[in-house]
Amino acid sequence: MAEYKNVLIGKNISFNDWKISLNKINEPNIDICDFSDFKNLKEIVLSKNITYIIPLSEIDYKLIKSYMELLDNKLKILYPTEETFNLLNNKNLFTDFMLQYFTEYIPEIYYLNNIKLKNITYPSIYKPTYSTNGSNMIIIYDDSDFIKLKNHNN
């Protein structure tokens, strides 16, 4: 059985979809914390044997960097770049990235950025560019559903 490292994720973020998703995380090795509450942050780091800290905003990154001398020096901060934030918040950018580097891990793509990549097989699933957790997904059963969807989105 795999042994997972303990992770602490900051919750000062501006993307509402991310906030909703963070609140759904229920894993024993992942904690979510408001990094501006240093007392609570320190308690979690020490009591949960945190290995990695993931700030999801510039605010959290600056806070955690300012606290590092007061916390365990062995903590690893994993901070994404602006490019990574954009990649994770935009399905088209993410799909382009996956098509370029990890095609074996993605389902078939028929259209991307309104460009037809291949003929559609039905049923298919439409996913909006900006959404999480399957929200606003639509099952397309035939060409008429697809045409209605295209007309609706234009």
Side-chain angles (χ1 to χ4, degrees):
M1 186 158 115
E3 181 180 327
Y4 296 103
K5 301 290 184 185
N6 294 327
V7 177
L8 180 62
I9 301 173
K11 67 178 188 177
N12 292 313
I13 52 178
S14 57
F15 303 121
N16 282 332
D17 286 345
W18 288 26
K19 289 178 184 179
I20 293 167
S21 296
L22 276 177
N23 289 330
K24 292 180 179 179
I25 293 175
N26 185 22
E27 297 293 331
N29 63 309
I30 301 175
D31 282 279
I32 314 297
C33 174
D34 180 350
F35 287 1
S36 60
D37 182 350
F38 178 70
K39 183 178 178 181
N40 185 44
L41 173 82
K42 186 175 180 180
E43 165 80 22
I44 293 171
V45 167
L46 297 176
S47 67
K48 304 273 181 114
N49 193 27
I50 298 295
T51 304
Y52 297 104
I53 293 182
I54 305 174
L56 295 179
S57 67
E58 185 71 22
I59 294 166
D60 277 350
Y61 179 70
K62 287 178 180 176
L63 284 168
I64 209 64
K65 288 293 279 186
S66 71
Y67 298 151
M68 285 308 287
E69 288 183 14
L70 305 171
L71 296 168
D72 186 347
N73 291 5
K74 295 174 188 158
L75 289 168
K76 294 173 185 74
I77 300 173
L78 306 176
Y79 185 63
T81 62
E82 184 176 347
E83 180 183 8
T84 304
F85 278 121
N86 291 333
L87 184 70
L88 295 174
N89 197 47
N90 181 311
K91 283 188 181 64
N92 288 338
L93 291 176
F94 185 73
T95 302
D96 284 336
F97 174 82
M98 293 300 289
L99 284 170
Q100 186 173 357
Y101 298 106
F102 302 102
T103 55
E104 67 273 19
Y105 295 109
I106 61 173
E108 288 191 80
I109 308 286
Y110 301 104
Y111 277 80
L112 183 62
N113 296 323
N114 291 320
I115 298 170
K116 184 176 182 176
L117 302 178
K118 61 169 64 170
N119 290 329
I120 298 174
T121 58
Y122 297 105
S124 289
I125 296 175
Y126 163 81
K127 293 184 77 167
T129 301
Y130 298 99
S131 70
T132 59
N133 302 319
S135 60
N136 300 314
M137 281 190 347
I138 298 171
I139 298 176
I140 303 168
Y141 293 100
D142 54 33
D143 286 333
S144 66
D145 284 348
F146 179 69
I147 291 167
K148 288 178 202 169
L149 182 66
K150 278 186 75 170
N151 290 338
H152 174 73
N153 288 330
N154 289 331

